[in-house]
Amino acid sequence: MRADRLVSLVLLLRQHGRLSAAALARELEVSTRTVLRDIEALSAAGVPVYAERGRHGGFALLPGFRTELTGLNHDEALALLVAGSRRGAHGFGLGSALASAMLKVVDALPDSYRNTAAGAAERLLIDPETDLLSRRLVDEEVPDAVAAEVLRAVFAGHRLRIRYAALDQAPQWRTVDPIGLVTVRDRGYLLATRSGEDRTYRLSRISAAEELPEPAQRPDRVDLDRAWQERSTRFRAGGDQVTVLVRMDPARREELVGTALTVLAEESDPDGRLRLELTFQDARHAVWALWQLGMGAEALSPQWLRTSLRDRAAALAARYGVPDDLSG
């Protein structure tokens, strides 16, 4: 809403002293033209914002100006509850609400604490976009309109109509009874029931959502942690799971275990290498996981897995083989 954006603009100027139109546009996630219109609206409303020209110019407030805030709104309070995970807030469509809430919190601090808090914040970095190996962490995109409808239905206890694309299937409309939302490793999930059966939907696969007026058929109280654990157990026990036996370099253990569903057995060979029995969701999952380790692991069984990995390696060797006209 524009009113919230205007408040955020004033708080940004109070916190930073002076900001250019481009910097304000980045912070507010709007265009520079929108910032300029907002500045005009603030001036017309009597807020003492003025422009400073020059290379280091920008917009600023007259010294000593303070705003009277009405407190946190509903979405901002929710954002603070998930503020322990920046990506969690964005996954539920609360990223902008979190940013606005934190501005209000900083503005509410006494002057003697504000600089100290700002300095402490510079010493903390949570969930950067890349890890130590420069691998980019990709967030799953959830359209704002979808996130807003899902949140409204979950909190209001109303039924929800979603257009959902299951893996390798065309999108279809479904009517569900929402129970709660869960975020795991930067992925958001909607826990719901459909025709009385438990269902779990990945938020990034919902392309459209509509809150319905009728009440959802669900219990008054829910233990989301327990519900998630039960669904995870059923997921791991279902599908076309495969069990494989692997001999591998101990230094690569965490890479493989981190992708497997379960570790059934583990022992050390006399030469120090590990022998693990693991389960994977399906054959494709097992082939992918072992292929990532290259020479760091060897699939001992089943034979179809060894054959699949051998055929992949042979195809790759053939592609990069030396052409006959260059062999001399």
Side-chain angles (χ1 to χ4, degrees):
M1 293 178 62
R2 191 186 189 196
D4 287 338
R5 190 175 69 242
L6 292 176
V7 171
S8 295
L9 194 157
V10 172
L11 294 177
L12 283 169
L13 294 178
R14 274 191 45 75
Q15 183 176 346
H16 296 281
R18 180 175 61 250
L19 288 172
S20 67
L24 287 168
R26 286 194 300 271
E27 292 287 345
L28 298 172
E29 298 180 351
V30 297
S31 67
T32 302
R33 180 173 296 180
T34 297
V35 168
L36 295 177
R37 285 199 298 264
D38 287 348
I39 292 292
E40 291 180 2
L42 289 173
S43 297
V47 177
V49 57
Y50 64 96
E52 292 185 352
R53 301 187 181 280
R55 181 180 178 184
H56 300 292
F59 295 100
L61 296 168
L62 288 179
F65 176 77
R66 294 191 63 86
T67 57
E68 295 296 332
L69 299 179
T70 58
L72 299 178
N73 64 35
H74 182 258
D75 282 350
E76 291 168 348
L78 289 173
L80 287 177
L81 293 177
V82 295
S85 170
R86 180 180 61 85
R87 294 179 185 272
H90 283 268
F92 293 147
L94 296 170
S96 60
L98 175 59
S100 177
M102 295 312 294
L103 280 173
K104 291 182 178 180
V105 169
V106 171
D107 189 76
L109 291 173
D111 292 339
S112 59
Y113 294 165
R114 190 173 296 113
N115 291 337
T116 302
E122 293 176 353
R123 305 289 178 176
L124 301 174
L125 177 62
I126 301 173
D127 285 338
E129 292 187 354
T130 58
D131 64 12
L132 286 175
L133 299 178
S134 296
R135 294 177 299 198
R136 187 173 181 83
L137 305 178
V138 180
D139 287 337
E140 292 195 338
E141 295 294 331
V142 181
D144 291 343
V146 169
E149 286 292 309
V150 172
L151 281 170
R152 278 196 291 267
V154 168
F155 297 130
H158 290 169
R159 304 193 81 189
L160 183 66
R161 189 166 177 261
I162 59 175
R163 190 169 188 267
Y164 187 79
L167 185 62
D168 298 328
Q169 295 183 19
Q172 295 182 0
W173 284 99
R174 298 168 167 83
T175 298
V176 303
D177 296 293
I179 293 175
L181 293 163
V182 176
T183 179
V184 180
R185 294 180 181 176
D186 307 334
R187 293 178 177 177
Y189 297 89
L190 168 67
L191 273 58
T193 60
R194 185 182 177 208
S195 301
E197 298 292 329
D198 288 346
R199 294 288 186 269
T200 303
Y201 302 99
R202 189 182 296 185
L203 292 181
S204 61
R205 292 179 181 166
I206 301 176
S207 57
E210 178 187 0
E211 179 191 5
L212 302 178
E214 58 262 32
Q217 301 299 311
R218 66 181 190 180
D220 293 334
R221 302 294 299 273
V222 62
D223 184 341
L224 272 186
D225 186 57
R226 180 177 178 181
W228 180 256
Q229 292 296 332
E230 291 174 349
R231 295 186 186 208
S232 298
T233 300
R234 288 199 298 270
F235 175 80
R236 289 193 297 268
D240 301 318
Q241 288 188 16
V242 296
T243 300
V244 305
L245 182 62
V246 177
R247 188 169 182 269
M248 65 179 304
D249 181 351
R252 309 294 298 276
R253 177 187 181 280
E254 294 307 316
E255 294 179 57
L256 185 60
V257 170
T259 62
L261 292 180
T262 56
V263 179
L264 301 177
E266 180 175 348
E267 62 182 15
S268 296
D269 282 350
D271 62 358
R273 294 177 72 82
L274 290 179
R275 191 176 294 251
L276 289 86
E277 186 178 10
L278 312 103
T279 60
F280 293 92
Q281 188 62 38
D282 52 30
R284 185 173 62 176
H285 183 195
V287 171
W288 174 86
L290 270 296
W291 182 257
Q292 307 307 306
L293 297 180
M295 298 298 293
E298 177 189 1
L300 301 179
S301 67
Q303 184 59 44
W304 62 260
L305 178 57
R306 292 178 58 88
T307 301
S308 179
L309 291 169
R310 181 200 64 200
D311 292 346
R312 272 196 175 202
L316 191 65
R319 170 166 293 185
Y320 289 103
V322 179
D324 292 339
D325 57 349
L326 298 179
S327 58

